[in-house]
Amino acid sequence: MNYQTSPTPPLFKGIALFTPGGDLVYCIDPSKKTQWHVNLCATLQEWLGLVEPPHFLVPCYTATFDRWLDPNTQVVKCSAVAYPPVWRYRSLLNLIFETHEVVWSQGSCPEELCDPIVVASYRERFPQLWENHDLVLQVDSPIARAPEFPESDLSAIARTDPTRPEGSEGYVLRLFVSGRTTATEKSLHTLYQVLEESLGVPYTLKVIDIHKHPEQAEFSQISATPTLIKLWPLPVRRIVGNLEDPNTIARVLGYY
């Protein structure tokens, strides 16, 4: 008789670093290397143009997930800890780490590090951290790349290169839609035509169906569809509803 066994889930350590404004950088590391917090802070410095790495965010604005094989029992175990300032992002953490069945524990913040008054004292020096840039980046090394979000059925229409375009003029775009409708197809056609004919620089476009990925819609504060968000280059811009006018799209992209 053949018995079917469940596959062993991937073993890895994941670390997420948030900003007070809600931006996120994270890593998924099967080799469980150290000093990832340092890399994540350096990534925020690079992407947000900070004067120095924001080490003061650690540990209060962090969350960690660890799944390992107990050498004594050969049983897979896991630990998921999120600190109070980022507790509300548990659904997003489950999305990026693909840990939908995990129950998160709340970490205990060191009082001398996570006192709100102490954290707020850094605001004048790091004002970008209190702004929301719709930034969600996965770090594979000290250099970050754009995260590989689950694709919708409409993604074949869009460019789906998961890395940020090379060069400072590259664009990162996110389009939120509500299912496959005639209006959605029309908006996509117009947007794709503008990008191909007028943009003139590399770009990455992600198409996200809010019905299939509500966590991403909630995190990006989507109130209506279609919504086009320009994540890069800064500043972040968005347009809601009207994607049929090429001039309007051009203004959002910042080259009109």
Side-chain angles (χ1 to χ4, degrees):
M1 180 179 297
N2 294 326
Y3 292 92
Q4 190 174 34
T5 59
S6 300
T8 301
L11 308 179
F12 69 92
K13 184 170 185 177
I15 300 177
L17 176 65
F18 290 85
T19 68
D23 291 324
L24 165 66
V25 291
Y26 69 98
C27 67
I28 297 176
D29 185 11
S31 63
K32 300 178 182 288
K33 296 177 182 177
T34 60
Q35 301 301 317
W36 269 111
H37 285 117
V38 173
N39 291 341
L40 296 181
C41 289
T43 297
L44 281 178
Q45 179 188 16
E46 177 184 355
W47 276 74
L48 300 183
L50 306 178
V51 294
E52 60 185 86
H55 294 143
F56 70 92
L57 294 177
V58 182
C60 48
Y61 280 88
T62 66
T64 59
F65 174 82
D66 196 359
R67 184 187 288 133
W68 72 95
L69 184 65
D70 189 314
N72 297 320
T73 63
Q74 295 301 303
V75 174
V76 174
K77 296 184 178 181
C78 68
S79 171
V81 179
Y83 285 88
V86 302
W87 185 250
R88 59 189 171 125
Y89 296 119
R90 297 191 305 281
S91 60
L92 176 62
L93 292 168
N94 282 330
L95 175 68
I96 62 174
F97 293 140
E98 299 183 1
T99 52
H100 303 290
E101 303 301 323
V102 169
V103 176
W104 288 80
S105 300
Q106 190 169 122
S108 178
C109 285
E111 185 175 350
E112 68 278 9
L113 296 177
C114 298
D115 187 317
I117 297 178
V118 174
V119 174
S121 68
Y122 290 94
R123 186 165 186 168
E124 183 176 355
R125 185 168 177 78
F126 300 92
Q128 303 95 318
L129 296 178
W130 273 261
E131 302 168 358
N132 186 288
H133 305 90
D134 284 342
L135 187 67
V136 181
L137 294 175
Q138 181 178 348
V139 179
D140 291 330
S141 66
I143 300 176
R145 66 177 176 83
E148 297 182 13
F149 287 111
E151 299 296 336
S152 72
D153 292 338
L154 301 174
S155 63
I157 304 174
R159 297 292 183 89
T160 56
D161 181 0
T163 60
R164 185 168 68 88
E166 295 293 334
S168 60
E169 295 184 348
Y171 278 71
V172 177
L173 307 169
R174 191 181 300 169
L175 177 63
F176 289 86
V177 300
S178 180
R180 184 186 292 273
T181 66
T182 301
T184 297
E185 296 289 353
K186 188 174 181 179
S187 297
L188 277 169
H189 176 75
T190 302
L191 175 59
Y192 186 70
Q193 187 175 27
V194 171
L195 294 175
E196 287 296 306
E197 297 179 0
S198 304
L199 193 56
V201 295
Y203 69 89
T204 295
L205 172 65
K206 290 289 185 180
V207 183
I208 302 169
D209 189 332
I210 64 171
H211 298 301
K212 295 183 177 181
H213 308 295
E215 299 90 349
Q216 294 182 44
E218 179 181 1
F219 180 75
S220 296
Q221 301 177 344
I222 302 302
S223 59
T225 57
T227 293
L228 175 67
I229 303 177
K230 175 182 72 95
L231 299 180
W232 188 267
L234 300 177
V236 175
R237 293 180 177 177
R238 70 173 65 201
I239 179 174
V240 180
N242 181 15
L243 291 181
E244 299 179 7
D245 181 7
N247 291 331
T248 301
I249 295 174
R251 285 194 293 272
V252 172
L253 297 179
Y255 65 87
Y256 181 79

